[in-house]
């Protein structure tokens, strides 16, 4: 299992509830010492650092370890910080959740993809099942509030309505758990994974609290390295953004005709018009800044790589139109849906 090692560590250094922060620190230190004893420092140095938003136990951390089982996950406060960590060379890769079966595209995270120049090098899809967690001994009837990541709150709307308590968004699911612990909140629950319950020593008040049992989130792994990753047995996939100032319908027709003429299979096609907060901003890596403004962009994923001639031909045909096309990355297809255990 991709993340078995982290749970072994949890057992070894199971945090006592009062001393949690200190224990986590010790856990990290012990881990580094452990690495350097086994083949000296290079083992630790060579490990890829994968930046993710959240604290240990966040779903993005599981995605990082699934994509890259030997990596050292680097917790970051916000998704933007994870991206900046890669841009500044503090991490090798960043993990970004971009869509979920229940909520569709995470537009804010897509905005980050568009505004930065970090190619997608891998995709990971994971089942996301949530638990309602509280401080040991707290009963459901004592709850006044539930806190979690906005996506998790959205995925659990029905359970929240049934509970009939307030809810509040915080940075990430595991961060919500940490907040409960550090403030000893006895009237508040967190929505997070069962692994976060284990890791932080909280009680599980309810399991599978998401509205749908089939809840899959797709994460993208970003890198600074611009070379196209090698194909695997499932072939390649490419993500593009097609931005334009003209009629969306005409651009869509042009795109569909160029792809269908070459039997290129689309796996995502989404029209994203500008929102109330202004036009969609897209970085043109050839020109650097400033960001280009568009009233509408299309998100397009398809099977094939930018190395394939028929893909190049299709894009050349679409480019006869006044559109701005940016490749977000060609990467190996991964049709597998991973679980947390
Ligand atoms: O908050 C987390 O744990 C995250 O990693 C973000 C997230 C939240 C809900 C589903 C997938 C990712």
């Amino acid at each position: 299992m991709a993340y078995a090692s982290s749970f072994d560590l949890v057992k070894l250094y199971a945090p006592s509830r009062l001393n949690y922060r200190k224990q986590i620190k010790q856990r990290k230190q012990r881990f580094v010492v452990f690495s350097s004893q086994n083949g000296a420092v290079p083992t630790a140095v060579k490990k890829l650092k994968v930046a993710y938003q959240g604290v240990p136990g966040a779903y993005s951390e599981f995605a990082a370890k699934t994509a890259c089982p030997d990596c050292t996950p680097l917790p970051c406060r916000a998704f933007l910080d994870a991206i900046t960590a890669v841009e500044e060379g503090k991490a090798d890769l960043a993990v970004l959740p971009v869509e979920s079966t229940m909520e569709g595209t995470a537009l804010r995270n897509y905005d980050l993809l568009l505004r930065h120049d970090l190619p997608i090098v891998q995709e990971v899809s994971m089942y996301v099942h949530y638990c309602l967690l509280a401080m040991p001994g707290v009963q459901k009837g004592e709850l006044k509030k539930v806190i979690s990541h906005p996506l998790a709150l959205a995925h659990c709307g029905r359970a929240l309505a049934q509970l009939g308590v307030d809810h509040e968004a915080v940075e990430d699911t595991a961060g919500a758990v940490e907040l409960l612990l550090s403030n000893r909140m006895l009237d508040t629950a967190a929505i997070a994974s069962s692994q976060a319950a284990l890791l932080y020593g909280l009680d599980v008040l309810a399991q599978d609290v998401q509205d749908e049992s089939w809840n899959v989130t797709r994460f993208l792994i970003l890198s600074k390295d611009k070379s196209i990753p090698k194909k695997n047995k499932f072939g390649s996939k490419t993500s593009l953004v097609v931005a334009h100032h003209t009629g969306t319908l005409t651009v869509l027709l042009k795109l569909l005709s160029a792809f269908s003429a070459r039997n290129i299979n689309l796996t995502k096609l989404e029209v994203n018009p500008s929102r109330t907060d202004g036009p969609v901003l897209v970085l043109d890596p050839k020109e650097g800044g400033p960001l280009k403004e568009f009233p509408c962009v299309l998100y397009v994923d398809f099977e094939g790589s930018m190395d394939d001639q028929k893909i190049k031909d299709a894009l050349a045909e679409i480019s006869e139109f006044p559109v701005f096309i940016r490749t977000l990355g060609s990467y190996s297809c991964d049709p597998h849906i991973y679980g947390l255990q």
Side-chain angles (χ1 to χ4, degrees), residues 53 58-60 79 97 128 130 149 151-152 172-173 217 219:
Q53 190 240 355
Y59 290 97
S60 299
F79 290 119
V128 170
Y130 299 105
H149 185 277
L151 197 54
D172 68 291
T173 56
T217 296
F219 296 84

Side-chain angles (χ1 to χ4, degrees), residues 10 16 57 71 89 96 158 221 290 307 339:
V10 174
S16 82
C71 72
L96 206 59
R158 257 202 308 272
I221 316 297
D307 279 345

Side-chain angles (χ1 to χ4, degrees), residues 280-296:
V280 186
L281 301 176
V282 187
L283 176 79
D284 181 353
K286 288 191 202 105
E287 291 179 13
L291 299 173
K292 294 185 164 169
E293 295 187 0
F294 294 95
C296 186

Side-chain angles (χ1 to χ4, degrees), residues 75-299:
C76 297
R77 196 192 53 82
F79 290 119
L80 176 61
D81 298 333
I83 286 183
T84 310
V86 177
E87 288 174 334
E88 292 178 350
K90 292 179 187 146
D92 303 287
L93 303 167
V95 179
L96 206 59
V98 287
E99 62 195 37
S100 72
T101 46
M102 287 179 64
E103 283 293 300
T105 300
L107 291 175
R108 298 277 160 219
N109 284 350
Y110 244 91
D111 280 345
L112 289 175
L113 274 181
L114 304 191
R115 292 174 196 193
H116 296 262
D117 183 23
L118 292 183
I120 304 165
V121 291
Q122 199 176 344
E123 63 174 348
V124 173
S125 293
M126 301 196 69
Y127 289 109
V128 170
H129 291 177
Y130 299 105
C131 295
L132 187 70
L133 310 179
M135 292 287 287
V138 169
Q139 306 295 310
K140 258 194 203 172
E142 296 170 279
L143 297 177
K144 293 206 173 71
K145 196 161 67 173
V146 173
I147 56 175
S148 195
H149 185 277
L151 197 54
L153 294 173
H155 287 161
C156 303
R158 257 202 308 272
L160 288 173
Q162 263 166 21
L163 270 176
V165 296
D166 285 345
H167 56 267
E168 194 179 306
V170 294
E171 299 284 356
D172 68 291
T173 56
V177 172
E178 210 189 34
L179 212 63
L180 288 193
L181 267 174
S182 52
N183 294 308
R184 302 199 53 75
M185 297 162 94
L186 300 177
D187 60 356
T188 304
I191 289 177
S193 67
S194 52
Q195 286 82 353
L198 260 179
L199 182 60
Y200 294 86
L202 288 201
D203 280 359
V204 177
L205 297 185
Q207 278 180 320
D208 276 325
V209 291
Q210 67 281 352
D211 292 351
E212 308 282 340
S213 56
W214 181 268
N215 186 28
V216 176
T217 296
R218 180 168 171 247
F219 296 84
L220 296 177
I221 316 297
L222 314 177
S223 160
K224 229 160 123 172
D225 183 359
K226 299 233 167 3
S227 56
I228 297 176
K230 284 200 189 82
K231 288 184 185 176
N232 68 2
K233 63 177 174 175
F234 300 111
S236 294
K237 225 167 152 178
T238 298
S239 297
L240 284 188
V241 56
V242 181
H244 62 93
H245 292 275
T246 51
T248 301
L249 199 55
T250 324
V251 176
L252 267 178
L253 284 173
K254 183 83 185 163
L255 190 131
L256 291 177
S257 126
F259 278 63
S260 90
R262 294 168 181 85
N263 265 325
I264 301 168
N265 197 23
L266 289 184
T267 55
K268 179 185 178 95
L269 177 57
E270 191 164 321
V271 178
N272 180 27
S274 57
R275 299 181 289 272
T276 45
D277 53 355
V280 186
L281 301 176
V282 187
L283 176 79
D284 181 353
K286 288 191 202 105
E287 291 179 13
L291 299 173
K292 294 185 164 169
E293 295 187 0
F294 294 95
C296 186
V297 297
L298 309 182
Y299 301 136

